[in-house]
Amino acid sequence: MQKTFHITTFGCQMNEHDSEIMAGLLTKAGFTRVEEIQQADIEIMNTCSVRENADKRFFGTLGQLKHRKKAEPGFTVCVCGCMMQQQSVIDTLKAKYPWVDLVFGTHNIHRLPQLLSRVIEERTRLIEILPDMEEIVEGLPAMRLYRHKALVNIMYGCNNFCTYCIVPYTRGREKSRTPEAILAEIRALVEDGVKEVMLLGQNVNSYRGLSADGSCTDFAGLIRRLNEVEGLERIRFMTSHPKDLSDDLIDCFVNCEKLCKNIHLPVQAGSDRVLKRMNRHYTRERYLELVRKLRQAVPEITISTDIICGFPGETEEDFQETLSLVREVEYDSAFTFLYSIRHGTPAERYEDQIPEEVKHDRFNRLVDLVNEISERKNLAYRGHIERVLVESVSKTDQSTLAGRTDGFKLVNFPGTDELIGKTVPVEIVEAKTFSLLGRLARE
Ligand code: 5AD
Ligand code: SF4
């Protein structure tokens, strides 16, 4: 009988894409995906170690599976993702959750079908963690979440070692795919109906793709090649480290018509002192200069960011500099994070950790400011006609469609599902903090 599986994904788009690949691999191997965990013979939990309290939430959710595992020994529990690359997590799993069937990491997801077959056939338990990716495995099938847009990894890992961040330890060193492999994947996706690709990497600006003929393609070069792909309508990317954002890439925003006029440019903090302790390798002024250049080149570009509140040693003055930078840039949106310790990172050892209530107070003030600006920026779209790539029918209302503008603004408007996958003009009639409301306009 065919076994069914369910995947629970925590964290970022990179994890989301890993889950799409795992689903693709398992489907190809004869397993069937189901939407509800209750119907699944196999549960896979793809974990994240960046989000706050990630371990608590993961172990909490995992603990809930114990009863079912006891009642149904054939129910198979697998855990994977960033958290598994931390030895402390593996130690806890061995000591407190010995009933978990399969544990694997971020560097061997391509081995999931073999590992799972062994677990099921030999009724054994397995832990397989590799310290880093030996080489990039190409040609893995992915079961996409959306029919018309796709996530595409262009590189793996990170070399930056920001002092708060666990990613360089869980995802290993930077490795770029070849431009040929990326182009081949995207051409196949377009054949399959994909209109928009989101290029993924921890720092896409340091992409260096080596071709068989010995030539090297940088990120701007890759964008230029992808801009030529017939049938592809939109190119996006994330994430971009400010220290490596080149003039050449800014030029792509002007000259590559498929590159969406939107950039996620994490600033993390507005004070030079904090930026230095975070090991970010840019100053506030250099960051603001980049924003000026981007806006000079493309006045309508939308900009989003990540900001951490309460990094060790952050004073009220430092925090005021973050607020003033946010006011100066006027972000379209911002992901705000409360600093929290990641085990094994340099900032864990900083002695001047900030009290929780101070962090929360700053966080609340920052969120208020960010939301006020987002809403103001969104209101300016009222009366505009935007081209929206329709993604789906709204989950809460079958007569409403959801899609994105070129600038990545979420737009809801009345319409029917035959518009999914099409790019249509929508007049913006109302604006909220996190989305726009519109109505279909004439071509
Ligand atoms: N504490 C708080 N936020 C963090 N981030 C990464 N590590 C931490 C941490 N230890 C945030 C950064 C990053 C985003 C993905 O997560 O802002 O850009
Ligand atoms: Fe983490 Fe910094 Fe690398 Fe981003 S660039 S993944 S924040 S170490």
Side-chain angles (χ1 to χ4, degrees), residues 263-274:
I263 188 165
H264 185 67
L265 197 61
V267 68
Q268 311 298 0
S271 129
D272 285 342
R273 212 179 58 82
V274 174

Side-chain angles (χ1 to χ4, degrees), residues 271 314-323 362:
S271 129
E314 182 190 71
T315 62
E316 176 61 25
E317 267 167 17
D318 293 322
F319 176 65
Q320 286 296 337
E321 290 202 58
T322 295
L323 293 180
R362 288 180 190 165

Side-chain angles (χ1 to χ4, degrees), residues 12 49-52 164-167 239 264 266 268 280 306-309 335 337-342 345:
C12 67
S49 42
V50 171
R51 298 293 150 96
E52 212 193 339
Y164 51 81
C165 185
I166 193 75
V167 169
T239 291
H264 185 67
Q268 311 298 0
R280 290 291 289 177
D306 292 343
I307 304 169
I308 299 177
C309 281
F335 294 100
F337 300 86
L338 277 166
Y339 171 74
S340 67
I341 289 177
R342 293 292 173 277
T345 59

Side-chain angles (χ1 to χ4, degrees), residues 70-171:
K70 235 183 187 166
E72 261 177 75
F75 177 53
T76 304
V77 179
C78 311
V79 295
C80 62
C82 286
M83 277 180 69
M84 302 308 129
Q85 298 295 138
Q86 295 174 266
Q87 190 54 45
S88 56
V89 171
I90 300 298
D91 294 342
T92 309
L93 280 171
K94 282 183 182 163
K96 296 197 182 146
Y97 303 82
W99 46 269
V100 171
D101 298 284
L102 173 60
V103 183
F104 59 103
T106 52
H107 305 304
N108 52 348
I109 62 171
H110 57 285
R111 289 187 27 86
L112 173 60
Q114 291 101 301
L115 295 171
L116 193 55
S117 299
R118 269 190 65 197
V119 164
I120 293 169
E121 282 157 25
E122 299 170 23
R123 291 174 191 275
T124 179
R125 296 206 166 108
L126 281 179
I127 298 182
E128 185 183 278
I129 308 291
L130 307 180
D132 203 343
M133 200 179 271
E134 277 157 17
E135 58 186 54
I136 295 173
V137 182
E138 291 293 351
L140 301 178
M143 201 172 171
R144 292 194 308 277
L145 204 59
Y146 291 95
R147 193 159 153 52
H148 301 98
K149 63 173 191 175
L151 302 168
V152 176
N153 272 320
I154 62 164
M155 58 191 300
Y156 301 89
C158 182
N159 290 352
N160 290 310
F161 292 94
C162 301
T163 52
Y164 51 81
C165 185
I166 193 75
V167 169
Y169 310 90
T170 60
R171 291 273 175 180

Side-chain angles (χ1 to χ4, degrees), residues 230-297:
E230 222 172 290
L232 183 65
E233 288 181 16
R234 286 179 168 184
I235 305 168
R236 302 185 187 281
F237 59 85
M238 112 174 236
T239 291
S240 206
H241 195 308
K243 80 177 165 61
D244 302 311
L245 177 63
S246 66
D247 288 348
D248 214 14
L249 182 62
I250 296 178
D251 181 65
C252 288
F253 280 114
V254 180
N255 292 311
C256 298
E257 71 287 355
K258 294 181 184 173
L259 184 61
C260 291
K261 312 295 179 267
N262 162 249
I263 188 165
H264 185 67
L265 197 61
V267 68
Q268 311 298 0
S271 129
D272 285 342
R273 212 179 58 82
V274 174
L275 286 170
K276 197 163 178 60
R277 289 189 98 202
M278 287 178 162
N279 194 31
R280 290 291 289 177
H281 294 282
Y282 54 84
T283 59
R284 170 195 178 91
E285 191 38 47
R286 159 104 180 105
Y287 183 93
L288 289 171
E289 177 64 26
L290 284 175
V291 171
R292 278 193 288 273
K293 272 194 198 170
L294 282 161
R295 290 207 168 122
Q296 207 166 26

